[in-house]
Amino acid sequence: AQSVTQLDSQVPVFEEAPVELRCNYSSSVSVYLFWYVQYPNQGLQLLLKYLSGSTLVKGINGFEAEFNKSQTSFHLRKPSVHISDTAEYFCAVGIGSQGNLIFGKGTKLSVKP
Amino acid sequence: EAQVTQNPRYLITVTGKKLTVTCSQNMNHEYMSWYRQDPGLGLRQIYYSMNVEVTDKGDVPEGYKVSRKEKRNFPLILESPSPNQTSLYFCASSLLRGRYTLVGSTEAFFGQGTRLTVV
């Protein structure tokens, strides 16, 4: 069965510091990988996605993620965070043979001044 | 503007009183789904639909019904709501066939959410 694990439920960080939000997945079939962001009282919006090709994917708001097939990971990074990055971040896996997305439990990023 | 619209945004109801949460998308997407979001559990899929008149259960379908009579609409029905269905609900839609012509590879667009409280 496919699953997604976000290793940290909460990540506090100071403004302008770098951040990494970790995501590991398990699947026996081809997958597509996504990061979504949820700002307070809003729906989810796509940050970035990996479908194929280059393993380093750049998204909106200065975020990037690296697909590592051998470690089955898709960690999200930003070199310098802003207060406005405070949100909950979800890693998701799209299964190649279906349309379903499987989500991790989310990581709450809290950026402090 | 491409969007997924859910209504209502907030709803407080009593146990056993039937309710419907509507969802509509204007992107001509084949695939639509409902999720519930609970603290510490992330998003869990309730039902999904791959096209008109085609629906299937997700991970947590008990206590819910859906219908897909038109491509753009995918209402979520709670016939007899119970307090354990208090949650934040999201509707999402996506293309079934994306650029890479494989399902699962296309971006999902989410509605703003419906916060349901059942007392």
Side-chain angles (χ1 to χ4, degrees), chain A residues 84-98:
Chain A
S84 59
D85 292 323
T86 294
E88 190 160 17
Y89 293 79
F90 292 93
C91 182
V93 166
I95 306 303
S97 59
Q98 306 167 25

Side-chain angles (χ1 to χ4, degrees), chain A residues 6 13 17 20 24 27 30 37 40 57-58 60 62 72 76 78 90 99:
Chain A
Q6 290 183 245
V13 64
E20 177 179 82
N24 286 87
S27 176
S30 61
V37 60
V57 180
K58 294 190 184 297
I60 61 172
T72 60
L76 181 71
K78 186 169 182 177
F90 292 93

Side-chain angles (χ1 to χ4, degrees), chain B residues 24-84:
Chain B
S24 180
Q25 50 95 3
N26 62 1
M27 294 167 280
N28 203 35
H29 286 165
E30 301 93 344
Y31 187 92
M32 297 185 74
S33 62
W34 277 101
Y35 295 87
R36 61 178 288 174
Q37 182 182 10
D38 301 289
L41 297 178
L43 278 84
R44 295 178 292 168
Q45 192 176 50
I46 302 170
Y47 267 94
Y48 64 95
S49 168
M50 299 182 97
N51 215 326
V52 175
E53 302 292 1
V54 180
T55 63
D56 211 343
K57 296 178 180 178
D59 297 320
V60 289
E62 294 78 20
Y64 304 95
K65 283 175 56 177
V66 293
S67 69
R68 188 90 183 273
K69 293 184 170 56
E70 305 164 282
K71 198 172 187 179
R72 62 183 290 124
N73 296 323
F74 191 47
L76 179 69
I77 303 156
L78 284 73
E79 295 270 5
S80 182
S82 63
N84 65 12

Side-chain angles (χ1 to χ4, degrees), chain A residues 32 36 38 51 96 98 100 105, chain B residues 31 37 90 100 102-104 108:
Chain A
Y32 307 96
Y36 285 84
Q38 184 182 30
L51 303 182
Q98 306 167 25
N100 301 355
K105 294 184 178 180
Chain B
Y31 187 92
Q37 182 182 10
F90 287 101
Y100 292 84
L102 282 175
V103 299

Side-chain angles (χ1 to χ4, degrees), chain B residues 73-113:
Chain B
N73 296 323
F74 191 47
L76 179 69
I77 303 156
L78 284 73
E79 295 270 5
S80 182
S82 63
N84 65 12
Q85 293 178 297
T86 292
S87 187
L88 179 58
Y89 291 85
F90 287 101
C91 178
S93 74
S94 59
L95 284 169
L96 205 57
R97 291 289 184 268
R99 178 183 171 188
Y100 292 84
T101 69
L102 282 175
V103 299
S105 67
T106 58
E107 172 190 352
F109 291 81
F110 285 81
Q112 291 289 86

Side-chain angles (χ1 to χ4, degrees), chain A residues 37-45, chain B residues 1-10 21-24 27 33-35 37 43 87-93 109-116:
Chain A
V37 60
Q38 184 182 30
Y39 298 105
N41 299 315
Q42 294 189 26
L44 281 74
Q45 65 182 81
Chain B
E1 182 188 352
Q3 59 185 5
V4 178
T5 304
Q6 292 178 231
N7 280 297
R9 290 289 309 277
Y10 301 91
V21 184
T22 63
C23 174
S24 180
M27 294 167 280
S33 62
W34 277 101
Y35 295 87
Q37 182 182 10
L43 278 84
S87 187
L88 179 58
Y89 291 85
F90 287 101
C91 178
S93 74
F109 291 81
F110 285 81
Q112 291 289 86
T114 296
R115 187 167 291 281
L116 172 66

